[in-house]
């Protein structure tokens, strides 16, 4: 069995093989792989006994369910009104400067992806961003540099 | 994270550690009495639509179906709203108390908290609370299980029927109404779906009685309401305030001294320009004098340095992305509005083109399938009509 097959089997065992389990299963794939490959969608369709297009339809509807490869750390910068008023663009520039990539790109080492997202619900502490599930608020470009440095170190520690 | 900034009114965030007692006391009343109490309290849904909560419970209780559900809608996605997160962080047990009483009166055996994916970090905290809650339910002899269901970043899933579609593993596309969730909700079974804040308010009613709750607010808008305050203000944060205040009162308290407009109710709400601060009240439609605006509690202040064109453009891009794409008026309408105001700004279209766009939003209001498409007109019309010159020059 391939890794993806094993992962899908595990998730189906955990959440069940009914249609209602589809979203938790897709979320599980994201937690592990950061994106849902076509192969994973096929495997899920087989396990739940529904058509592949149904799985594809659901997976592509939700903005957090990526279907294209992403880095290990997906950064989502809030672009909705308050964050945009309070300096979202400087935060994006700082990220692009730190990681030497543009918005919607992934670093060559597959570690970081920069994305924009809609309202994160931290308007009173704007600007805000998510890195995977972790929230960062009241950001400044200096803080962004520090946060990214920390994540880079984290990656090295995990390897060692 | 920075320290919390909350001025307390203070009912919702009051740390009532007597909730087991209150549950026990409430459980002694008959179901009819509880529903009567809820209806007479005048509590209306705090998500923004303002449907009477007691009536919702009653309709579901009257259904004869064996399987029923209670869902707590924590898919708080409206730009400028962040109160539900704070309720779930500070007083999750109040929400669970509301769900338990609702389960008792309606006969529901299963419940869910639909939590938006952006708030996934709350899961460990909520799981801990749920563990305690399960034991309490068992002691009360209530057969009721609550689980967390995570969303995955879709604003439209805050619409109740889209939320249920999403829980069933489908695309989050709103359903036709009727049937309403009270008849046919999650898995086609009768379902009560309430906003986080609504459920938290039920706790106040159980604790202090409907009368005290009614004493707050005015006429058709009873009780207090949490407001999420953001934008150009020295004091952003969450505040519990009485319903029925005017925008002017609000601005006097929160503005940085240079407030030119307030967006009430988030991107799907209305923009109130300075000249209308005095005549506009915050509450549900009733016999308030002047204009009254219902709200999910989002209050965004803009000072004179802000371009209202940029504000509107930001909203429209938001709607364009978050439209589920199911019905044409909303899918195509949002795209055309984004393009249209851009063309006017660039001078590619005459200023009169704005009137065509206003007409388009009128069409969307009547033809779009759900609240998202229908409410685009609110912010569009209130901004374009009041700040027309900023759209053109």
């Amino acid at each position: 069995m391939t890794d993806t097959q094993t992962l899908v089997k595990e998730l189906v065992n955990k959440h069940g093989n009914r249609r209602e389990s589809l979203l938790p299963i897709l979320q599980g794939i994201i937690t592990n792989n950061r994106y849902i490959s076509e192969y994973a969608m096929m495997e899920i369709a087989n396990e739940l006994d529904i058509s592949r297009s149904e799985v594809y339809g659901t997976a592509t509807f939700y903005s957090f369910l990526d279907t294209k490869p992403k880095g290990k750390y997906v950064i989502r910068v809030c672009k909705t009104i308050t964050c945009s008023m309070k300096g979202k663009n400087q935060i994006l520039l700082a990220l692009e400067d730190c990681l030497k990539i543009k918005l919607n790109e992934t670093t060559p080492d597959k570690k970081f992806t920069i994305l924009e997202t809609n309202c994160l619900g931290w308007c009173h502490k704007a600007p805000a961003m998510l890195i995977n599930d972790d929230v960062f608020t009241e950001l400044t470009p200096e803080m962004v540099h520090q946060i990214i440095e920390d994540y880079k170190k984290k990656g090295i520690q995990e390897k060692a | 994270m920075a320290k919390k900034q909350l001025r307390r009114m203070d009912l919702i965030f009051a740390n009532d550690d007597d909730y087991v007692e209150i549950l026990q006391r409430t459980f002694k009343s008959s179901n009819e009495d509880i529903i009567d109490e809820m209806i007479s309290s005048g509590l209306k849904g705090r998500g923004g639509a303002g449907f009477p909560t007691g009536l919702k419970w009653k309709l579901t209780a009257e259904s004869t179906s064996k399987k029923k559900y209670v869902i707590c809608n924590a898919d708080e996605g409206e730009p400028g709203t962040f109160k539900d997160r704070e309720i779930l962080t500070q007083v999750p047990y109040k929400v669970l108390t509301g769900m338990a009483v609702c389960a008792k009166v309606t006969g529901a055996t299963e419940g869910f908290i639909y939590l938006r994916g952006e708030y996934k970090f709350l899961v460990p905290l909520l799981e801990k609370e749920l563990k305690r809650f399960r034991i309490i339910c068992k002691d009360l002899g209530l057969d009721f299980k609550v689980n967390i269901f995570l969303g995955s970043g879709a604003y439209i899933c805050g619409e109740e029927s889209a939320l249920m579609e999403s829980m069933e593993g489908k695309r989050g596309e709103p359903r036709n109404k009727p049937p309403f969730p009270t008849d046919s909700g999650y898995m086609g079974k009768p379902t009560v779906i309430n906003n986080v804040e609504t459920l938290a308010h039920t706790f106040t009613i159980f604790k202090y009685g409907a009368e005290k709750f009614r004493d707050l607010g005015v006429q058709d808008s009873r009780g207090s309401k949490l407001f999420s305050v953001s934008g150009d203000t020295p004091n952003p944060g969450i505040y519990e305030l009485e319903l029925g205040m005017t925008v002017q009162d609000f601005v006097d308290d929160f503005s940085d001294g240079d407030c030119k407009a307030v967006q009430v109710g988030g991107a799907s709400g209305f923009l109130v320009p300075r000249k209308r601060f005095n005549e506009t009240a915050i509450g549900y439609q009733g016999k308030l004098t002047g204009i009254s605006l219902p709200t999910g509690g989002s209050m965004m202040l803009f000072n004179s340095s802000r371009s209202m064109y940029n504000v509107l453009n930001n909203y429209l891009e938001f709607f364009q992305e978050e439209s589920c794409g199911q019905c044409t008026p909303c899918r195509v309408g949002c795209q055309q509005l984004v393009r249209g105001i851009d063309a006017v700004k660039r001078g590619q279209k005459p200023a009169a083109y704005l009137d065509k766009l206003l007409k388009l939003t009128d069409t969307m209001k009547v033809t779009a399938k759900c609240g998202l498409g229908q409410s685009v007109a609110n912010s569009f019309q209130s901004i374009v009509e009041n700040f027309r010159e900023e759209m053109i020059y």
Side-chain angles (χ1 to χ4, degrees), chain B residues 202-276:
Chain B
T202 64
F203 183 89
T204 312
I205 298 171
F206 304 142
K207 182 163 178 173
Y208 299 105
E211 211 154 306
K212 169 148 187 195
F213 190 82
R214 273 192 73 81
D215 284 346
L216 297 167
V218 290
Q219 292 172 18
D220 281 357
S221 311
R222 292 292 169 187
S224 61
K225 170 90 194 74
L226 287 183
F227 288 91
S228 311
V229 183
S230 64
D232 294 312
T233 163
N235 304 308
I238 298 161
Y239 298 87
E240 187 174 352
L241 308 165
E242 225 173 316
L243 280 171
M245 60 173 178
T246 66
V247 176
Q248 185 66 54
D249 296 339
F250 174 83
V251 168
D252 288 344
D253 255 28
F254 288 98
S255 133
D256 58 359
D258 185 27
C259 184
K260 87 164 165 188
V262 180
Q263 180 80 22
V264 180
S268 66
F270 297 82
L271 184 99
V272 184
R274 192 186 282 144
K275 63 181 177 209
R276 299 211 189 284

Side-chain angles (χ1 to χ4, degrees), chain A residues 19-20 22-23 27 57-58 61-65 79 81 85-86 118-124 133 138, chain B residues 2 80 82 85 116 120 150-153 166 168-172 187 231 300 302 306 314 318 321-322:
Chain A
R19 177 73 192 250
E20 304 92 272
L22 181 55
L23 217 50
Q27 288 162 347
T58 302
F61 185 84
Y62 297 90
S63 67
F64 281 16
L65 302 179
K79 65 170 178 188
I81 186 70
M85 276 159 52
K86 305 270 168 172
N118 282 325
C119 192
L120 291 174
W122 290 94
C123 319
H124 57 326
D133 301 327
E138 292 175 298
Chain B
F82 36 87
R85 185 198 64 234
R116 70 189 298 219
K120 191 176 171 189
L150 268 178
S152 263
S166 154
E168 291 173 12
K170 301 176 199 152
R171 294 166 70 86
M187 306 303 284
M300 293 187 281
F302 301 113
R306 305 295 173 188
N314 190 291
F318 174 84
E321 276 168 34
E322 296 294 343

Side-chain angles (χ1 to χ4, degrees), chain B residues 115 119-130 148:
Chain B
L115 187 70
Y119 293 169
K120 191 176 171 189
F121 67 96
L122 282 176
V123 171
L125 184 150
L126 288 175
E127 286 288 1
K128 208 176 114 199
E129 198 62 40
L130 282 173
I148 299 170

Side-chain angles (χ1 to χ4, degrees), chain B residues 183-353:
Chain B
D183 293 324
S184 171
Y186 178 54
M187 306 303 284
K189 303 289 180 215
T191 306
V192 172
I193 175 161
N194 284 140
N195 177 261
V196 173
E197 189 189 341
T198 314
L199 288 165
H201 277 297
T202 64
F203 183 89
T204 312
I205 298 171
F206 304 142
K207 182 163 178 173
Y208 299 105
E211 211 154 306
K212 169 148 187 195
F213 190 82
R214 273 192 73 81
D215 284 346
L216 297 167
V218 290
Q219 292 172 18
D220 281 357
S221 311
R222 292 292 169 187
S224 61
K225 170 90 194 74
L226 287 183
F227 288 91
S228 311
V229 183
S230 64
D232 294 312
T233 163
N235 304 308
I238 298 161
Y239 298 87
E240 187 174 352
L241 308 165
E242 225 173 316
L243 280 171
M245 60 173 178
T246 66
V247 176
Q248 185 66 54
D249 296 339
F250 174 83
V251 168
D252 288 344
D253 255 28
F254 288 98
S255 133
D256 58 359
D258 185 27
C259 184
K260 87 164 165 188
V262 180
Q263 180 80 22
V264 180
S268 66
F270 297 82
L271 184 99
V272 184
R274 192 186 282 144
K275 63 181 177 209
R276 299 211 189 284
F277 284 173
N278 264 319
E279 61 192 68
T280 311
I282 311 294
Y284 303 98
Q285 276 123 334
K287 288 178 195 122
L288 292 167
T289 46
I291 312 154
S292 126
L293 297 178
T295 173
S298 160
M299 303 289 277
M300 293 187 281
L301 295 94
F302 301 113
N303 69 19
S304 60
S305 73
R306 305 295 173 188
S307 148
M308 295 320 289
Y309 173 85
N310 286 347
V311 171
L312 180 60
N313 188 49
N314 190 291
Y315 293 164
L316 291 176
E317 282 181 352
F318 174 84
F319 286 126
Q320 179 183 271
E321 276 168 34
E322 296 294 343
S323 167
C324 78
Q326 186 186 189
C327 73
T328 315
C330 176
R331 183 186 64 245
V332 180
C334 290
Q335 292 169 6
Q336 291 303 324
L337 292 175
V338 172
R339 283 192 198 176
I341 61 164
D342 181 65
V344 172
K345 192 79 177 170
R346 288 174 190 278
Q348 292 159 348
K349 293 272 183 203
Y353 190 67

Side-chain angles (χ1 to χ4, degrees), chain A residues 63-64 73-99 101-105 112-122 125-132 134-141 144 147-148, chain B residues 116 118 314 318 321-322:
Chain A
S63 67
F64 281 16
Y73 301 112
V74 179
I75 306 168
R76 295 174 200 272
V77 183
C78 178
K79 65 170 178 188
T80 306
I81 186 70
T82 316
C83 287
S84 156
M85 276 159 52
K86 305 270 168 172
K88 174 220 85 177
N89 283 341
Q90 279 87 317
I91 302 306
L92 260 187
L93 283 176
L95 281 168
E96 291 177 344
D97 179 45
C98 267
L99 297 168
I101 51 171
K102 293 273 174 233
L103 178 64
N104 295 325
E105 288 180 355
F112 295 94
T113 302
I114 310 178
L115 301 175
E116 277 184 335
T117 188
N118 282 325
C119 192
L120 291 174
W122 290 94
K125 292 179 181 171
M129 68 175 183
L130 277 181
I131 300 186
N132 291 349
D134 295 325
V135 185
F136 298 90
T137 57
E138 292 175 298
L139 292 165
T140 59
V144 169
I147 292 165
I148 296 300
Chain B
R116 70 189 298 219
E118 288 85 340
N314 190 291
F318 174 84
E321 276 168 34
E322 296 294 343

Side-chain angles (χ1 to χ4, degrees), chain B residues 133-151:
Chain B
F133 179 70
R134 280 181 200 121
I135 299 168
I136 294 167
C137 282
K138 216 173 140 195
D139 291 346
L140 286 165
L142 180 72
D143 174 26
F144 182 54
K145 275 188 219 82
V146 178
N147 285 302
I148 299 170
F149 194 98
L150 268 178

